[in-house]
Amino acid sequence: MLEPRFSAVAEVFEQIVGKGTDRGAALCVYHRGIPVIDIWAGTADVKTRRPWAADTIAPITGATKGLLTVAVLSLVQDGVLHLDTPVAEYWPDFAADGKQDITVRWVLTHRAGVPALDKPVSSRNLIAGDSPAEALAAQVPAWQPGTAHGYHPSTGAWILDEVARRVTGSGIGKVLSDRIGEDVFIGLDEGEAVRLAPLIFPIMELMRARPKEPEFAEFSKAVFSSKTLLARSLNALSMSKVDQFNDPAFLAVGEPSMSGVASASGLAWLYASLIGEVAGHRLINPDLLDATVREESHGHDQVLLMNTRFGLGFMLPGGPLWPGETRTQFGHGGTSGALAFADPANHLAFAYVPNRISGYIEGADANARRLAVTVYEALA
């Protein structure tokens, strides 16, 4: 489905998928609560040559944090969680080693100071049913909580997942599925795996594609040194194999930071439902939305070593990872190349889901950004 005014977007999509770097992908855009672009192309599974279809889903890695945030905000909206309540009031053991004042808000806004673990958690142990809660409770903060911000690649999501379990008896994945019936998952059911587009891992291509801009210099240097806070944060979850994101057992666990799976149409529906009604359904109320998109953290990121901006759980435009097309966007990208965001000022929701690992970390994928720019040009 494609409204004629967005024909230029379809042309760019065609250049990127199949003919370009992405072997298969889908793009969905809502405007004023109505889908105006819903297109897909290419190969979903390069081994079997299965084509991408209308119902294809794919791992979205770090863009999972957008789903996590929606689940947490729904608990806030229901009065089950409170943003400025210390995590330790829900989970007493977390108070150890100077973490007693860390609030739910600080975790959502990457100000908790616990981005890494002295004892990393392995994906193999998660699949076996182990929890990272004990390691999180024992961890000493890397900086005084609340005084600075730094991206928490895994640990922030794990903290929020444990809090959800304490107050609801279920993890974030169940909270999400209870509220959303579209194609977005944290914890993939076995029967859904047949629709999955496995990620492609072009390691050498990935290395060559790393941005060379000066803003990425500190990141690029620190990521290869195992003792840096950046490397330790990225490795808080140690993968037992390179293509762990394609393992149905891992995707089924419901690891809340990067194991999410979604279709582009499901992601776009979710973000459209955050900023307005879609077929009579709205996920969060306007007052909570206003709080969600308000800047909470900005400036030099203690982990990523570049400028970043965050609202409540969502990335905000600003800095090299996501320059953005407007200052009113909010969303999240992933290393898979996925990018999903909403822009309430322009009544827009955007979701791009490919199956090719991106050249960089959350949000910096050139293909997704090129498509987003073309969408805004069509709206002008």
Side-chain angles (χ1 to χ4, degrees):
M1 184 263 284
L2 179 73
E3 285 196 3
R5 59 180 164 147
F6 295 103
S7 59
V9 180
E11 291 173 7
V12 171
F13 183 78
E14 184 178 353
Q15 293 168 13
I16 288 171
V17 182
K19 296 179 181 179
T21 55
D22 289 0
R23 301 292 295 278
L27 171 68
C28 187
V29 176
Y30 276 66
H31 189 227
R32 299 188 182 279
I34 298 172
V36 293
I37 303 173
D38 190 5
I39 55 179
W40 56 90
T43 304
D45 190 330
V46 295
K47 291 183 178 179
T48 66
R49 300 185 181 276
R50 171 168 51 91
W52 204 286
D55 66 344
T56 296
I57 54 179
I60 58 173
T61 59
T64 303
K65 294 180 184 66
L67 310 185
L68 163 86
T69 298
V70 171
V72 173
L73 291 177
S74 71
L75 294 178
V76 172
Q77 182 167 262
D78 292 347
V80 177
L81 284 183
H82 300 279
L83 292 170
D84 296 311
T85 296
V87 169
E89 289 197 19
Y90 303 112
W91 175 15
D93 290 348
F94 187 74
D97 295 302
K99 301 191 296 301
Q100 67 278 358
D101 295 327
I102 295 174
T103 63
V104 172
R105 182 187 301 272
W106 288 356
V107 181
L108 277 169
T109 57
H110 299 273
R111 303 182 69 82
V114 194
L117 293 177
D118 294 335
K119 296 181 179 180
V121 175
S122 76
S123 60
R124 182 180 293 107
N125 287 349
L126 288 180
I127 292 170
D130 291 350
S131 167
E134 184 177 343
L136 289 164
Q139 185 61 43
V140 177
W143 63 82
Q144 181 64 38
T147 62
H149 84 282
Y151 184 54
H152 290 47
S154 298
T155 53
W158 296 344
I159 292 168
L160 294 168
D161 186 57
E162 184 63 23
V163 170
R165 292 179 188 280
R166 301 275 171 152
V167 299
T168 71
S170 302
I172 285 294
K174 181 66 163 56
V175 174
L176 183 74
S177 65
D178 283 348
R179 288 158 175 79
I180 299 174
E182 298 296 316
D183 277 352
V184 293
F185 307 93
I186 298 179
L188 188 66
D189 293 338
E190 183 179 355
E192 304 286 358
V194 296
R195 300 194 284 138
L196 188 71
L199 291 180
I200 303 167
F201 289 79
I203 301 301
M204 292 308 297
E205 178 187 330
L206 185 154
M207 299 300 294
R208 287 195 297 269
R210 288 185 181 279
K212 303 300 192 296
E213 292 88 347
E215 296 91 341
F216 289 92
E218 286 189 77
F219 178 103
S220 296
K221 182 179 179 180
V223 76
F224 292 111
S225 177
S226 62
K227 294 183 179 181
T228 63
L229 182 59
L230 169 60
R232 292 177 56 234
S233 298
L234 293 174
N235 292 319
L237 175 61
S238 60
M239 298 293 192
S240 59
K241 52 186 178 180
V242 173
D243 63 343
Q244 190 75 72
F245 295 112
N246 295 334
D247 182 357
F250 175 69
L251 298 177
V253 167
E255 190 283 321
S257 70
M258 60 183 76
S259 77
V261 175
S263 66
S265 58
L267 270 180
W269 178 92
L270 180 144
Y271 277 90
S273 299
L274 290 173
I275 61 174
E277 287 193 4
V278 178
H281 185 83
R282 181 164 186 163
L283 287 174
I284 63 174
N285 63 54
D287 288 342
L288 184 54
L289 175 69
D290 289 344
T292 297
V293 302
R294 191 176 304 133
E295 179 182 275
E296 294 269 355
S297 302
H298 72 282
H300 186 72
D301 189 297
Q302 301 297 309
V303 174
L304 297 179
L305 305 176
M306 62 183 80
N307 286 340
T308 58
R309 293 176 69 232
F310 293 96
L312 287 177
F314 293 106
M315 296 175 67
L316 304 180
L321 276 185
W322 188 22
E325 289 67 47
T326 73
R327 296 288 284 185
T328 53
Q329 294 169 310
F330 67 94
H332 221 288
T335 305
S336 66
L339 175 64
F341 65 81
D343 182 348
N346 288 284
H347 311 285
L348 188 75
F350 172 103
Y352 179 64
V353 176
N355 63 351
R356 179 258 330 153
I357 284 287
S358 173
Y360 224 70
I361 197 169
E362 342 289 41
D365 183 69
N367 290 340
R369 288 167 57 182
R370 183 182 172 194
L371 287 163
V373 167
T374 311
V375 167
Y376 276 91
E377 289 174 348
L379 284 177

